[in-house]
């Protein structure tokens, strides 16, 4: 199979990788040994041509007339998404959104785990630990706390006015990936990846399509 590093994958395809992984995990749990592109497409809600085009970026994942080996593809996407080992994640900003994410059990669905959280030093919860054992530190301790732990990924749920300042601090501390819930563009070095989650925009898009259907 081709390596994903040797091929430029369209962003739309990249965003579907976790969906494919989820579907193959489901098929495997249902004891389905092989699946064709139509079955995969129907499970996700796209067309089979899109599935075949997405898979073509990774070489020969299946055989014509046979379909796709479910267990093989499940493991393939697990490798692609680094889901064979635990990925430690830190969270910055423990407001309403941050609290919701702190209590979301990522590890029950995928091998991701929030191992520490940060907020302003004056926050009343700084110095405490959540019921799940996640310590909460003051933001001034980021460099110190990251020095001896394997954490390169951060979730950012801070006010827009503070997002760039905090992102810069994270990059300086060695963070290489940021999932930002702040609706502002972040300026980071080329070797740092930022993914944005804009809930307002997603809701507006949903309302647009709902209105279009009536």
């Amino acid at each position: 199979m081709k390596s994903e590093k040797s091929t430029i994958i369209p962003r739309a395809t990249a965003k579907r990788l976790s969906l494919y992984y989820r579907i193959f995990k489901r098929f495997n749990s249902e004891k389905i040994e092989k699946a064709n592109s139509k079955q995969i497409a129907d499970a996700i809600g796209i067309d089979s041509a899109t599935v075949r085009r997405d898979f073509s970026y990774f070489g020969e994942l299946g055989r014509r007339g046979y379909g796709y080996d479910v267990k093989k593809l499940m493991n393939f996407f697990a490798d692609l998404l680094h889901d064979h080992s635990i990925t430690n994640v830190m969270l910055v900003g423990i407001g309403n959104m941050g609290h919701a994410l702190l209590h979301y059990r990522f590890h029950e669905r995928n091998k991701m785990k929030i191992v520490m959280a940060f907020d302003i030093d004056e926050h009343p919860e700084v110095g405490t630990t959540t019921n799940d054992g996640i310590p909460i530190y003051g933001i001034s301790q980021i460099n110190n706390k990251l020095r001896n732990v394997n954490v390169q990924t951060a979730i950012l749920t801070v006010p827009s006015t503070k997002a760039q300042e905090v992102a810069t601090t994270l990059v300086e501390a060695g963070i290489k990936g940021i999932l930002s819930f702040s609706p502002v563009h972040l300026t980071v070095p080329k070797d740092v990846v930022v993914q944005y989650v804009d809930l307002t925009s997603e809701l507006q898009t949903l309302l647009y399509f709902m209105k279009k259907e009536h």
Side-chain angles (χ1 to χ4, degrees):
M1 287 184 235
K2 296 177 186 176
S3 166
E4 73 273 17
K5 294 182 180 179
S6 64
T7 305
I8 298 175
I9 307 301
R11 191 172 187 84
T13 296
K15 292 181 74 171
R16 284 190 287 269
L17 297 181
S18 63
L19 296 179
Y20 290 131
Y21 180 39
R22 187 183 307 165
I23 291 303
F24 281 113
K25 284 201 297 183
R26 195 191 86 194
F27 286 167
N28 186 64
S29 70
E30 294 173 352
K31 310 299 182 185
I32 298 173
E33 296 184 357
K34 62 180 180 179
N36 58 40
S37 57
K38 186 178 186 307
Q39 289 172 296
I40 299 166
D42 288 346
I44 295 178
I46 57 179
D47 60 87
S48 56
T50 298
V51 172
R52 292 192 294 272
R53 183 170 63 249
D54 285 348
F55 286 9
S56 71
Y57 293 108
F58 303 101
E60 297 297 326
L61 298 185
R63 299 200 309 270
R64 185 178 294 276
Y66 175 83
Y68 300 95
D69 183 302
V70 167
K71 185 167 287 188
K72 179 179 177 182
L73 268 291
M74 180 183 71
N75 290 327
F76 172 75
F77 284 107
D79 287 336
L80 206 61
L81 297 168
H82 306 288
D83 201 50
H84 279 313
S85 58
I86 294 290
T87 296
N88 292 329
V89 179
M90 61 177 285
L91 183 144
V92 185
I94 53 172
N96 292 335
M97 177 64 72
H99 268 292
L101 292 171
L102 276 179
H103 292 94
Y104 184 80
R105 297 180 179 273
F106 291 96
H107 60 280
E108 291 182 358
R109 298 189 178 193
N110 297 92
K111 295 185 179 180
M112 295 178 284
K113 181 180 180 182
I114 295 178
V115 296
M116 60 179 72
F118 296 84
D119 209 302
I120 58 173
D121 292 357
E122 299 78 17
H123 195 286
E125 292 185 57
V126 165
T128 66
T129 302
T130 70
N131 291 335
D132 291 327
I134 303 171
I136 300 174
Y137 303 113
I139 202 165
S140 63
Q141 296 181 279
I142 284 180
N143 272 292
N144 182 50
K145 295 299 179 181
L146 289 184
R147 191 169 295 142
N148 298 312
V149 295
N150 180 27
V151 177
Q152 293 187 311
T153 308
I155 299 174
L156 194 58
T157 59
V158 300
S160 299
T161 54
K162 294 292 184 180
Q164 182 60 59
E165 178 185 345
V166 175
T168 299
T169 299
L170 293 173
V171 170
E172 291 173 350
I175 291 297
K176 294 297 183 183
I178 299 173
L179 179 65
S180 177
F181 283 81
S182 299
V184 293
H185 178 76
L186 300 176
T187 300
V188 297
K190 291 183 178 180
D191 64 338
V192 176
V193 179
V194 179
Q195 184 75 29
Y196 298 94
V197 180
D198 187 340
L199 296 179
T200 299
S201 176
E202 294 295 334
L203 181 56
Q204 288 174 332
T205 302
L206 171 65
L207 295 175
Y208 167 76
F209 282 112
M210 286 172 63
K211 186 177 180 180
K212 191 176 179 182
E213 289 298 316
H214 291 84

